[in-house]
Amino acid sequence: MTRTLVLASNNPGKLKEFNELLAPLGFAVRPQGDFAVPEAEEPHATFVENALAKARHAARLTGLPALADDSGVCVNALGGAPGVYSARFAGEPKSDQRNNEKLVQALAAHPDKSAYYYCVLVYVRSDNDPQPVIADGRWDGEIVAVPAGSNGFGYDPYFWLPGQGRTVAQLAPEEKHRWSHRGQALRALVEKLR
């Protein structure tokens, strides 16, 4: 029996990835836009609180189980910034180019360029689920001043993977899914849901 699961996002890449991994568990993942669910507010200072708020919002408005993620890049020399503010680091409207320019400029005087991508996934059975299922993943790298690659989005062209000798934007999509913070979190969530 297939159960419908609402994804608290309309991102087609996330939808495809989540469907591929959750279909064997009997879930059909549908984006919140299919149910006319507007984006939830993300007022919190932590990834887990924002993901939980988004999952509860989607579950409340659909009456279905929901899955949400919150993720971003955390830079050690900047005390973890931009963190939960990664998408809007350079302000509104959202702009990958301005975000990357601001990050490179903020790091210019710091010798430590280490950073990591972080992702939290939250699954709720209902909007008032007292035991949400939570999983996370972390992907370490460094921020570089010169972008490379055309795959991915956001900070990917500036996120260098020393072990790979290339940026995230230079990885094939299947490589990114295998190693990424979101891929790690999704595999951990699947194990918990089993």
Side-chain angles (χ1 to χ4, degrees), residues 3 30 33 41 44-45 68 84-85 102 112 129 157 159 161 169 181 194:
R3 296 168 287 171
R30 292 178 56 194
E41 294 292 317
H44 304 290
V84 296
Y85 308 106
K102 181 175 179 177
D112 179 8
D129 187 344
F159 196 89
L161 302 166
H181 52 309
R194 282 188 202 285

Side-chain angles (χ1 to χ4, degrees), residues 56-138:
R56 290 196 188 285
H57 174 76
R60 182 170 41 260
L61 294 177
T62 63
L64 294 165
L67 175 66
D69 79 312
D70 199 35
S71 56
V73 66
C74 301
V75 179
N76 295 313
L78 303 180
V84 296
Y85 308 106
S86 292
R88 294 171 177 82
F89 188 46
E92 293 287 356
K94 291 191 273 189
S95 165
D96 288 347
Q97 181 180 340
R98 288 189 303 107
N99 287 341
N100 282 305
E101 288 168 358
K102 181 175 179 177
L103 182 58
V104 168
Q105 185 178 20
L107 270 177
H110 293 279
D112 179 8
K113 310 288 191 212
S114 64
Y116 57 92
Y117 273 130
Y118 185 72
C119 175
V120 172
L121 292 175
V122 174
Y123 167 81
V124 294
R125 290 164 278 273
S126 65
D127 69 322
N128 59 358
D129 187 344
Q131 288 185 294
V133 180
I134 301 171
D136 67 346
R138 176 178 164 148

